[in-house]
Amino acid sequence: MKRMYDSEKHRRSIRLKEYDYSRPGAYFVTVCTHNREYLFGNVVNDEMTLSEYGKIIENVWYNLTGHYQNIKLDKFIVMPNHIHGIIILIDVDIVGAGLKPAPTDLTKYYPLSEVIRAFKTFSSRHVNELRITPGIPVWQRNYHEHVIRNEKELNRIREYIINNPLQWQFDRENPDRIVVAGKNVGAENLQPLHDEYIRFEEIIYGKK
């Protein structure tokens, strides 16, 4: 069953002042569906089960490296109404590429914004072809990016992505999420897990 929020609220983008988002580095990216609609499947028994649309999203993501030479893809997951992924922008050695010239579109250096734009465009097109809804928005207009500063943070974000289905009950994109209060029944068991998860989300996204 598809689930929707009543209105679309764009996630606040935490951008570093004067930071060049086209330069090499690792970025944690989150993109939500239009109106937070459930399109890509459901979390069942703490595991994500992809719908046909979700499988399209996954395929388009992993095919990005075939279009952009200056990126590497790290951990990634499709959730019911959003995706999380790590994109690493790398230097492209065009001069030393060899005797056989590479395709022009691959030898250019593209910023993060262009890679995400392409991902959203390609995936929207394929989803709308399948559901026969040309021109209907699949994604929200904005997206969230977070600059990954060091290896410790990289590993923590990798863990967050891998465990996202396990934490779906607390996820801020889940309209039925559990908000633990100290006096709730069973809160003594959920409180530490809930607090740790929310604390990490606030570090990455800011307070909601």
Side-chain angles (χ1 to χ4, degrees), residues 2-34:
K2 297 178 181 178
R3 300 290 301 277
M4 298 181 65
Y5 277 96
D6 292 335
S7 62
E8 179 176 4
K9 295 180 180 179
H10 299 313
R11 184 195 295 277
R12 183 168 66 92
S13 177
I14 303 174
R15 296 176 181 269
L16 298 180
K17 291 182 178 180
E18 300 180 355
Y19 187 87
D20 181 1
Y21 281 84
S22 67
R23 75 184 190 183
Y27 302 87
F28 171 55
V29 175
T30 299
V31 190
C32 295
T33 58
H34 183 66

Side-chain angles (χ1 to χ4, degrees), residues 72-158:
K72 288 186 177 180
L73 302 177
D74 203 280
K75 296 299 181 183
F76 172 73
I77 193 165
V78 181
M79 294 296 289
N81 59 0
H82 66 280
I83 62 99
H84 294 304
I86 297 172
I87 295 178
I88 302 172
L89 299 184
I90 59 176
D91 284 318
V92 181
D93 184 7
I94 300 175
V95 176
L99 297 177
K100 185 177 179 180
T104 303
D105 61 335
L106 292 183
T107 56
K108 294 179 181 178
Y109 190 93
Y110 292 94
L112 179 66
S113 58
E114 164 59 21
V115 177
I116 299 303
R117 182 205 63 77
F119 166 72
K120 293 170 71 175
T121 299
F122 296 156
S123 57
S124 294
R125 183 182 304 151
H126 291 308
V127 167
N128 280 332
E129 286 175 355
L130 181 60
R131 64 180 182 175
I132 317 177
T133 54
I136 298 299
V138 171
W139 302 103
Q140 68 175 23
R141 293 175 57 192
N142 204 355
Y143 68 92
H144 171 88
E145 76 291 304
H146 173 82
V147 180
I148 301 176
R149 300 172 184 274
N150 52 55
E151 186 173 358
K152 180 179 179 180
E153 188 175 52
L154 174 62
N155 289 330
R156 183 66 184 86
I157 291 174
R158 284 169 172 164

